[in-house]
């Protein structure tokens, strides 16, 4: 019995041991499983972020997150400045200034997507931070969190619009809309009149005009790039439609006249069968008025909205037709518009005023470059029916607005078929290549090349704009490394000279049918490379005015400067003990554009200057310094100053990239400036031989257009001077294009260019 008992006890012990081992193994397996699950890479959720609510600035607002196609808010529980930094950097700002709980910017709607958010501050997206998970929250919208970001943007940050300012993000209910011209009108460019057709389920359908209104026509014309609509011959279209097979769209449209696109108008519930006769009406027809720029003749242009004698609004810094920074004229001085409350209504008023259609985008945060001078308008509010932006309500107090908040627009422009007769061939990407044009030869259309003789940056700018590729970054006179279409090797265009404002290369001066190209085509065909951004150099006119003075300097201290041709020609015969009278000044050149300013020449072509601070100059002709008589005649032999380009100082948060020392890379970063002090050699004009009188002091940057810029008008600066033989007074210094009178004072820049050639 004892043996049985012992045996039974042993069995129980063995069972217990096995159970313990099993539990231990199970625990280890659970730990391993959890560890594996934690170590397994987690794919972050795809979200978009925007700042919304009752706000005054574009860089502040209620944090809203788009997850699974729906916008929602973030709860303020456990939210801190580290999370705010992540939000702001995800939006393209350098960081956060503050965050606010308790729905400071108003209560949001919909889901509260995130709660108990914990960020280290180093995450790339708010989705990477720890939280309860999307949609897991015990908060109410009274706890919606808001942030205030720094005004500074991350250099080179590519902003992707997530707001309804972009037409492409709107709730599009139809595939497409077109104006279908009658057969006799189809060769007209642009097409301004015809039947309105909507693409639905892959088929084009007409709209019954029984519920159609002039406001609907206004929107259709606007989205096709036209500022207004007009009447048409109803009888001829009724006769024409009677002979056509019709396929009506199943909805009516009700627009208020402020929409940017027909798809955003209210759709009625009236339904028609596809072959319905629309008994009391006919298919909708619209007739649009083109802007002056697109009209067959100037007299047919949209006269009411366009003021050719003195426009009050203009666009600057845009790479493509119908886009740019908005500038307004006040008191004879051009200034910018602050982006507080900037929206599609205000942007559309600008677009229509300038002869374009409705606005595609209302851009904020100096997305198309920073302007200069005053900020004239702030908190603009338009009804959408004003003839000019200057008629809209606005706050005259722009306190707190800087040029980092300059508003801009992208407008709808008419389809001009500009891209069908021009192409780039042989390049590594669609933004570069040999320029090939389509021309008529012996009764047929053939592709050919453009002679590269005198081909320069201005011509390249026109090509890139015509193709919708933005700005030119380089103009090439040799393209042997780009094997284009062999059948298009022949030169079909030569002697091309553009002013820079043309919509197409064909509008530039050229030789016509009698070609002249001594080098021939082939490897010497013209080429371009394009870019969506460009630098924009602006000279600080105020600094020039404040630092101008005269110095009498002995000739023996000017030997280096003489060797570099920084003195008047009379210095060649001057005695070493004589003096030269120098008009000295400081220059501070800012890059306000959207790309770094880089010299055209590579480092191998830079020139060493022993005298001038002992460094390499990357541009031998970077500026022209001149003293002119009041009628524009040069009175002092100005010189072509060469420069070593570097970042002397930068705006807060922007690192310096370029330095002259140690054969470093040269250039001027966006948001930085290069300063040449008044006490540097050659930073002067030799006025030794100038007689007393009144003069014009002129500085021109990048005078040969070697490097592309978004705006050349502000590359010239002029001051008025009075010289009495002993002293000089410099006053009224200003850059080109900054005042209404510049049309007369600065010949040749009435458009977007300086006087050329």
């Amino acid at each position: 019995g004892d043996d049985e008992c012992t045996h039974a006890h042993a069995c129980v012990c063995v069972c217990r041991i096995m159970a313990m081992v099993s539990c231990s193994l199970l625990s280890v397996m659970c730990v391993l499983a959890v560890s594996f699950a934690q170590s397994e890479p987690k794919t972050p959720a795809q979200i978009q972020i925007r700042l919304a609510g009752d706000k005054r600035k574009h860089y502040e607002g209620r944090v809203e997150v788009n997850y699974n196609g729906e916008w929602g808010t973030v709860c303020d529980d456990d939210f801190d400045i580290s999370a705010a930094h992540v939000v702001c950097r995800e939006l393209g700002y350098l960081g956060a200034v503050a965050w606010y709980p308790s729905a400071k910017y108003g209560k949001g709607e919909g889901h509260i997507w995130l709660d108990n958010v914990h960020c280290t501050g180093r995450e790339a997206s708010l989705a990477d931070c720890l939280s309860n998970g999307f949609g897991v929250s015990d908060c109410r919208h009274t706890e919606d969190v808001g942030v205030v970001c720094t005004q500074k943007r991350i250099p080179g940050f590519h902003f992707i619009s997530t707001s309804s300012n972009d037409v492409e993000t709107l709730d599009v209910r139809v595939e497409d809309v077109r104006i279908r011209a009658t057969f006799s009108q189809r060769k007209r460019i642009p097409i301004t009149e015809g039947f309105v057709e909507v693409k639905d389920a892959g088929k084009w359908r007409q709209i019954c005009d029984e519920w159609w209104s002039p406001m609907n026509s206004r929107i259709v014309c606007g989205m096709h790039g036209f500022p207004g609509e007009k009447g048409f011959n109803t009888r001829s279209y009724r006769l024409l439609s009677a002979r056509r097979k019709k396929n009506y769209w199943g909805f009516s449209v009700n627009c208020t006249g402020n929409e940017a696109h027909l798809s955003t108008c209210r759709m009625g519930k009236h339904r028609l069968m596809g072959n319905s006769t629309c008994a009391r009406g006919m298919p909708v027809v619209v007739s649009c008025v083109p802007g002056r720029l697109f009209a067959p003749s100037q007299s047919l242009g949209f006269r009411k909205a366009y003021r050719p004698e003195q426009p009050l609004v203009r666009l600057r810094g845009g790479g493509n037709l119908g886009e740019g920074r908005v500038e307004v004229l006040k008191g004879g001085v051009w200034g910018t518009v602050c982006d507080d409350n900037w929206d599609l209504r205000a942007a559309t008023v600008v677009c229509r005023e300038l002869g374009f259609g409705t606005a595609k985008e209302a851009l904020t945060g100096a997305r198309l470059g920073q302007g200069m001078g005053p900020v004239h308008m702030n908190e603009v509010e338009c009804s959408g029916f004003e003839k000019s932006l200057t008629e809209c309500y606005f706050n005259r107090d722009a306190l707190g607005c800087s040029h980092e908040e300059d508003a801009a627009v992208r407008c709808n422009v008419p389809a001009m078929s500009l891209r069908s007769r021009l192409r780039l061939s042989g390049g590594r990407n669609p933004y570069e290549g040999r320029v090939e044009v389509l021309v008529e030869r012996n009764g047929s259309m053939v592709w050919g090349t453009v002679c590269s003789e005198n081909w320069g940056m201005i011509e390249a700018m026109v090509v890139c704009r015509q193709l919708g590729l933005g700005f030119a970054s380089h103009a090439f006179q040799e393209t042997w490394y780009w094997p284009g279409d062999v059948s298009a090797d022949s030169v079909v265009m030569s002697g091309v000279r553009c002013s820079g404002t043309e919509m197409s290369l064909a509008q530039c001066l050229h030789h016509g049918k009698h070609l002249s190209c001594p080098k021939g085509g082939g490897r010497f065909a013209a080429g371009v490379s394009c870019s969506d951004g460009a630098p924009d150099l602006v000279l600080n006119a105020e600094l020039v005015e404040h630092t101008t003075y005269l110095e009498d300097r002995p000739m023996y201290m000017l030997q280096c400067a003489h060797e570099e041709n920084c003195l008047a020609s009379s210095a060649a015969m001057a005695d070493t003990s004589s003096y030269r009278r120098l008009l000295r000044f400081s220059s501070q050149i800012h890059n306000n554009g959207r790309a770094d300013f880089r010299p055209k020449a590579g480092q191998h072509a830079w020139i060493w200057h022993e005298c001038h601070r002992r460094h390499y100059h990357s541009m031998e002709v970077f500026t022209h310094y001149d003293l002119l008589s009041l009628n524009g005649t040069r009175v002092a032999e100005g010189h072509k100053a060469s420069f070593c380009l570097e970042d002397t100082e930068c705006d807060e948060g922007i690192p310096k990239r370029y330095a002259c020392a140690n054969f470093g890379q040269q250039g001027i970063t966006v948001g930085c400036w290069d300063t040449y002090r008044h006490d540097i050699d050659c930073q002067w004009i030799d006025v030794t031989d100038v007689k007393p009188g009144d003069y014009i002091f002129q500085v021109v940057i990048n005078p040969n257009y070697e490097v592309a810029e978004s705006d050349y008008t502000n590359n010239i600066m002029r001051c008025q001077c009075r010289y009495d033989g002993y002293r000089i007074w410099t006053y009224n210094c200003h850059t080109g294009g900054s005042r209404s009178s510049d049309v007369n004072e600065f010949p040749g820049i009435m458009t977007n260019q300086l006087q050329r050639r």
Side-chain angles (χ1 to χ4, degrees):
D2 291 340
D3 290 340
E4 288 178 0
C5 185
T6 305
H7 180 69
H9 183 71
C11 287
V12 171
C13 290
V14 168
C15 289
R16 285 178 178 173
I17 291 169
M18 289 177 67
M20 290 173 66
V21 170
S22 299
C23 287
S24 299
L25 285 170
L26 188 62
S27 300
V28 170
M29 290 172 68
C30 289
V31 169
L32 286 173
V34 171
S35 300
F36 179 75
Q38 288 179 343
S39 62
E40 195 174 15
K42 182 182 177 183
T43 304
Q46 295 297 312
I47 66 169
Q48 291 180 315
I49 288 182
R50 69 184 180 189
L51 300 181
D54 304 327
K55 56 180 187 170
R56 290 175 59 85
K57 305 288 184 182
H58 67 274
Y59 49 82
E60 67 176 353
R62 180 177 61 246
V63 179
E64 293 194 352
V65 174
N66 189 312
Y67 176 68
N68 279 348
E70 292 186 54
W71 286 103
T73 61
V74 177
C75 183
D76 58 14
D77 291 352
D78 296 335
F79 199 90
D80 59 13
I81 194 66
S82 296
H85 282 309
V86 174
V87 168
C88 291
R89 281 200 294 271
E90 192 166 357
L91 289 168
Y93 300 99
L94 286 173
V97 175
W99 67 278
Y100 294 102
S102 307
K104 172 182 168 62
Y105 296 101
K107 293 188 291 185
E109 297 177 348
H111 296 281
I112 298 177
W113 281 127
L114 294 172
D115 187 10
N116 297 113
V117 177
H118 293 269
C119 301
T120 64
R122 296 187 295 272
E123 292 86 354
S125 170
L126 197 64
D128 299 335
C129 299
L130 294 174
S131 70
N132 292 350
F134 283 93
V136 182
S137 172
D138 59 356
C139 297
R140 297 183 178 182
H141 282 298
T142 53
E143 300 171 78
D144 287 342
V145 76
V147 299
V148 179
C149 302
T150 62
Q151 296 183 44
K152 307 287 184 184
R153 286 199 173 273
I154 298 171
F157 182 83
H158 291 286
F159 181 81
I160 300 172
S161 176
T162 58
S163 70
S164 59
N165 272 352
D166 186 349
V167 139
E168 295 176 359
T169 66
L170 296 173
D171 181 20
V172 179
R173 307 186 193 186
V174 293
E175 296 171 41
D176 202 359
V177 181
R178 72 180 181 184
I179 300 175
R180 186 184 181 190
T182 60
F183 184 79
S184 61
Q185 299 274 340
R186 282 180 190 168
K187 290 188 177 180
R188 293 188 60 179
I189 297 177
I191 293 174
T192 59
E193 185 176 295
F195 292 102
V196 177
E197 295 189 338
V198 174
K199 196 173 188 181
D200 181 32
K203 294 183 179 180
W204 288 104
R205 304 176 189 273
Q206 299 82 38
I207 304 175
C208 180
D209 70 353
E210 289 182 12
W211 306 284
W212 194 257
S213 72
M215 289 301 172
N216 297 353
S217 297
R218 170 183 166 89
I219 299 306
V220 171
C221 289
M223 61 183 280
H224 284 90
F226 303 112
E229 75 288 345
K230 62 182 178 66
F232 57 91
N233 188 339
T234 307
R235 184 171 177 272
S236 62
Y237 278 101
R238 189 176 294 278
L239 291 172
L240 188 62
S241 66
R243 298 195 298 267
R244 284 187 172 183
K245 183 180 178 181
K246 290 171 282 296
N247 187 9
Y248 284 108
W249 189 45
F251 296 90
S252 64
V253 183
N254 182 16
C255 302
T256 65
N258 275 321
E259 295 84 356
H261 196 277
L262 194 72
S263 61
T264 60
C265 298
R266 293 182 62 185
M267 302 297 167
K269 295 181 180 179
H270 304 286
R271 297 198 60 84
L272 295 167
M273 299 300 291
N275 59 356
S276 172
T277 57
C278 184
R280 295 192 299 273
M282 69 175 200
V284 166
V285 175
V286 297
S287 182
C288 306
V289 182
R292 185 176 292 264
L293 190 62
F294 308 101
S297 65
Q298 286 199 352
S299 61
L300 296 178
F302 192 65
R303 303 181 78 102
K304 290 183 180 178
Y306 190 81
R307 297 181 173 88
E309 68 280 358
Q310 181 56 76
L312 299 178
V313 178
R314 69 183 184 185
L315 301 183
R316 283 290 184 269
N320 296 308
L321 194 63
E323 70 174 30
R325 178 180 61 253
V326 180
E327 296 187 352
V328 295
L329 187 65
K330 178 184 176 183
V333 177
W334 287 100
T336 60
V337 178
C338 189
D339 62 10
D340 294 354
N341 299 339
W342 187 248
D343 60 11
L344 274 175
R345 282 194 182 187
T348 292
V349 171
V350 169
C351 291
R352 290 187 190 275
E353 179 178 3
L354 295 176
F356 303 112
T358 52
K360 287 193 291 187
E361 287 185 85
L363 303 171
T364 59
R367 289 262 304 281
L368 295 185
Q370 295 183 26
M372 55 186 184
V375 179
H376 282 328
M377 301 178 78
N378 183 24
E379 298 176 353
V380 178
E381 291 184 18
C382 302
S383 69
F385 294 95
E386 293 86 354
K387 290 288 195 308
S388 171
L389 186 70
T390 57
E391 297 175 9
C392 297
Y393 167 82
F394 65 95
N395 187 350
R396 297 177 187 275
D397 181 12
L399 190 66
C401 285
S402 68
H403 285 301
E404 292 173 352
E405 300 172 72
D406 286 343
V409 298
R410 285 198 176 104
C411 306
N412 283 309
V413 298
M416 300 293 291
S417 302
L418 296 175
R419 302 178 194 181
S420 61
R421 291 175 173 264
L422 185 73
R423 69 187 184 189
L424 301 183
S425 181
R428 297 162 296 179
N429 57 63
Y431 284 82
E432 67 177 22
R434 185 176 77 177
V435 178
E436 296 179 358
V437 294
L438 185 65
V439 297
E440 185 181 350
R441 287 289 181 271
N442 300 321
S444 60
M445 303 301 291
V446 297
W447 286 97
T449 58
V450 179
C451 182
S452 65
E453 189 174 7
N454 295 321
W455 182 260
M457 193 61 71
I458 304 298
E459 288 73 30
M461 282 283 197
V462 174
V463 168
C464 293
R465 186 188 303 122
Q466 181 177 350
L467 292 172
L469 299 177
F471 303 99
S473 53
H474 294 92
F476 300 97
Q477 294 191 352
E478 289 189 40
T479 51
W480 52 269
Y481 37 79
W482 284 333
D485 190 335
V486 178
S487 64
D489 278 348
S490 300
V491 174
V492 295
M493 183 180 282
S494 64
V496 180
R497 290 188 175 216
C498 304
S499 69
T501 59
E502 296 87 352
M503 285 194 292
S504 70
L505 199 65
Q507 293 177 356
C508 299
L509 293 173
H510 57 278
H511 286 153
K513 294 182 179 180
H514 302 287
L515 303 176
S516 174
C517 191
K519 292 183 179 179
R523 63 175 292 173
F524 294 108
V528 301
S529 64
C530 306
S531 170
D532 58 359
D536 183 20
L537 298 188
V538 183
L539 183 65
N540 186 334
E542 187 177 356
L543 182 68
V544 172
E545 185 170 327
H546 292 165
T547 58
T548 306
Y549 66 97
L550 292 176
E551 180 194 12
D552 289 340
R553 195 167 181 85
M555 190 66 197
Y556 66 82
M557 297 178 66
L558 296 170
Q559 292 308 307
C560 267
H562 190 203
E563 290 175 16
E564 293 192 13
N565 298 315
C566 295
L567 300 176
S569 58
S570 61
M573 298 174 286
D575 186 82
T576 54
S577 60
S578 63
Y579 284 77
R580 305 298 298 181
R581 178 156 292 178
L582 308 174
L583 172 61
R584 308 198 72 143
F585 58 96
S586 295
S587 67
Q588 189 181 86
I589 299 167
H590 293 246
N591 183 359
N592 287 350
R594 290 186 286 150
D596 293 356
F597 185 93
R598 298 298 309 279
K600 178 182 178 181
Q603 282 183 290
H604 66 280
W606 295 357
I607 298 173
W608 174 258
H609 281 254
E610 183 70 27
C611 301
H612 201 169
R613 280 189 167 185
R614 295 188 178 184
H615 55 211
Y616 285 91
H617 282 193
S618 56
M619 291 184 69
E620 274 306 290
V621 184
F622 181 64
T623 55
H624 282 181
Y625 300 153
D626 288 304
L627 195 66
L628 312 173
S629 67
L630 297 183
N631 65 7
T633 305
R634 184 180 290 114
V635 294
E637 294 181 30
H639 64 279
K640 300 173 181 179
S642 57
F643 268 63
C644 168
L645 302 174
E646 67 177 3
D647 296 329
T648 308
E649 296 291 340
C650 297
D651 288 330
E652 181 185 353
I654 299 178
K656 298 178 183 179
R657 294 182 183 176
Y658 306 108
C660 296
N662 303 318
F663 199 38
Q665 290 292 323
Q666 294 191 24
I668 306 176
T669 305
V670 175
C672 300
W673 55 91
D674 188 4
T675 302
Y676 263 54
R677 285 171 49 88
H678 56 84
D679 53 2
I680 296 175
D681 268 1
C682 296
Q683 189 61 29
W684 63 57
I685 295 178
D686 185 351
V687 295
T688 306
D689 305 320
V690 174
K691 297 177 181 179
D694 290 323
Y695 299 100
I696 297 170
F697 171 35
Q698 176 176 284
V699 177
V700 184
I701 309 167
N702 191 17
N704 296 339
Y705 309 99
E706 284 187 27
V707 179
E709 294 187 49
S710 60
D711 188 356
Y712 286 116
T713 60
N714 53 24
N715 282 30
I716 187 170
M717 185 223 67
R718 283 183 172 178
C719 304
Q720 293 176 279
C721 292
R722 174 160 291 181
Y723 175 49
D724 66 358
Y726 305 97
R727 295 167 297 176
I728 195 162
W729 292 268
T730 307
Y731 57 99
N732 199 22
C733 294
H734 63 286
T735 51
S738 63
R739 303 183 182 182
S740 60
S741 58
D742 289 347
V743 172
N744 299 321
E745 286 186 35
F746 294 67
I749 65 166
M750 184 172 175
T751 56
N752 200 29
Q753 302 302 330
L754 301 171
Q755 190 69 28
R756 186 169 187 244
R757 297 191 182 106

